[in-house]
Amino acid sequence: MSALAAARYGKDNVRVYKVHRDEKTGIQTVVEMTVCVLLEGDIETSYTRADNSVVVATDSIKNTIYITAKQQPVTTPEVFGAILGNHFVEKYNHIHAAHVSIVTHRWVRMNIDGKPHPHSFVKDSPETRNTQVDVIEGKGIDINSSINGLTVLKSTGSQFWGFLRDEFTTLKETWDRILSTDVTANWQWRRFGSVSEVRANVAGFDKAWQSARDITLKTFAEDNSASVQATMYKMGELILAGAPLIDTVEYALPNNHYFEIDLSWHKGTKNTGKDAEVYAPQSNPNGLIKCTVGRSGQKAKL
Ligand SMILES: O=c1[nH]c(=O)c2[nH]c(=O)[nH]c2[nH]1
């Protein structure tokens, strides 16, 4: 005998673009996002008894995303996600949870001749601002916000020494290395009770995103890094210190290696240690370092 253990369904990869035109100033503002909405509830019979009467068609879910984007502000993504998710839970008695993921793509206003252009934008990096909103009937709204794909490199100011050495160790200690990573940073908000509570924090979501980004870049640049682990922990601590509504901060940082190349075979060319100038960037394998920083009293799951 088998039974349905868990189920959720919906529409993924719904691409949405919205423009806001300020008639007075002529300034236009654009948002492009990719949205996924998955629903949970009393939908078991659609799987076990081919009963489609409980199915809100994924096509209708897609339509609802467009209509909500037309009727409501799409910024911040946290507020838009809460409004959208709450719609499904309130509208359909048998839907008890809505999971909304939003990837906001990076369109940065162009500066032309030193002035912000009213309607032209550049995608200056694949970096995205992501949001996961889980609206759970009777419980509240859980929001996780994140920075993804922010690629950084420093050409010095990073060390790695004192690590465990045994019969498996070949890595040399270094007091000066290149450090590069693609930042994934996310922060979990303390649970919100309602959409209006989420709306009340609208400025807080943008402020937290800007501050997490600034802290990540500044700490990466300024810390004389002992390791990826030590530097990422400092970032997490600083983000938590500035945002009381955030419970935890999580980082996942690949260590994108740049290897020295011994060129001594060519006329004794010096290119290692203090003479290293030409390096070989590695695609794989890469280190992958993760951590979650919480507040004291909340023990991490190690
Ligand atoms: O910052 C680092 N952390 C590690 O855990 C590690 N392991 C390694 O080989 N190089 C590095 N660098």
Side-chain angles (χ1 to χ4, degrees):
M1 265 291 276
S2 51
L4 190 70
R8 60 177 70 176
Y9 80 101
K11 202 67 134 190
D12 194 7
N13 295 309
V14 182
R15 296 187 57 187
V16 183
Y17 164 95
K18 185 172 186 184
V19 61
H20 174 262
R21 301 184 188 90
D22 187 321
E23 301 299 344
K24 277 201 200 111
T25 61
I27 295 173
Q28 305 200 354
T29 305
V30 302
V31 174
E32 182 172 340
M33 51 191 181
T34 304
V35 182
C36 173
V37 172
L38 299 180
L39 304 181
E40 277 186 290
D42 304 326
I43 54 173
E44 186 174 345
T45 53
S46 66
Y47 294 84
T48 58
R49 284 192 251 142
D51 168 17
N52 286 342
S53 69
V54 296
V55 178
V56 179
T58 70
D59 193 63
S60 315
I61 296 174
K62 173 209 66 187
N63 290 341
T64 308
I65 296 171
Y66 292 144
I67 294 291
T68 310
K70 176 71 181 173
Q71 292 177 342
Q72 301 285 342
V74 293
T75 54
T76 64
E78 289 86 354
V79 172
F80 177 68
I83 293 170
L84 182 60
N86 194 57
H87 164 87
F88 291 101
V89 171
E90 287 207 332
K91 169 102 181 144
Y92 305 105
N93 284 338
H94 69 296
I95 297 299
H96 303 309
H99 307 277
V100 182
S101 319
I102 300 173
V103 176
T104 307
H105 303 282
R106 198 169 160 82
W107 285 121
V108 179
R109 191 175 296 286
M110 278 189 198
N111 260 310
I112 302 294
D113 297 333
K115 277 192 260 147
H117 196 270
H119 59 250
S120 297
F121 305 86
V122 59
K123 184 171 281 180
D124 62 353
S125 120
E127 180 192 343
T128 55
R129 171 174 170 176
N130 297 6
T131 308
Q132 173 72 41
V133 181
D134 300 304
V135 180
I136 304 159
E137 194 173 45
K139 293 207 169 132
I141 304 176
D142 290 330
I143 302 184
N144 191 281
S145 307
S146 71
I147 294 167
N148 286 68
L150 171 63
T151 299
V152 290
L153 177 146
K154 66 195 294 189
S155 51
T156 189
S158 167
Q159 318 180 14
F160 189 60
W161 48 270
F163 49 88
L164 189 153
R165 298 202 82 84
D166 61 15
E167 67 277 26
F168 295 102
T169 313
T170 55
L171 186 70
K172 288 196 190 123
E173 297 186 310
T174 177
W175 283 259
D176 186 8
R177 66 173 181 175
I178 294 165
L179 185 60
S180 177
T181 189
D182 313 309
V183 177
T184 301
N186 62 72
W187 46 100
Q188 183 70 40
W189 296 87
R190 68 130 180 77
R191 180 170 279 178
F192 293 92
S194 62
V195 173
S196 45
E197 262 188 39
V198 177
R199 279 186 196 273
N201 189 46
V202 64
F205 294 118
D206 275 347
K207 187 165 164 261
W209 176 81
Q210 190 59 58
S211 131
R213 197 170 186 276
D214 291 348
I215 286 168
T216 300
L217 295 179
K218 187 172 163 65
T219 311
F220 180 83
E222 293 182 354
D223 186 37
N224 186 7
S225 175
S227 63
V228 174
Q229 286 89 331
T231 300
M232 74 204 297
Y233 183 72
K234 288 180 188 174
M235 294 172 179
E237 273 188 312
L238 287 168
I239 294 172
L240 277 183
L245 292 187
I246 293 176
D247 274 348
T248 53
V249 178
E250 195 177 326
Y251 274 91
L253 301 181
N255 190 359
N256 297 332
H257 305 298
Y258 286 68
F259 285 175
E260 285 189 4
I261 314 171
D262 183 352
L263 298 177
S264 59
W265 50 270
H266 183 74
K267 301 176 187 171
T269 305
K270 290 183 178 164
N271 191 54
T272 55
K274 65 175 179 26
D275 299 309
E277 288 176 299
V278 176
Y279 292 79
Q282 304 295 299
S283 310
N284 54 58
N286 57 271
L288 177 60
I289 320 286
K290 296 185 175 197
C291 76
T292 305
V293 187
R295 301 189 183 278
S296 330
Q298 287 178 304
K299 189 101 176 72
K301 291 185 199 108
L302 299 174

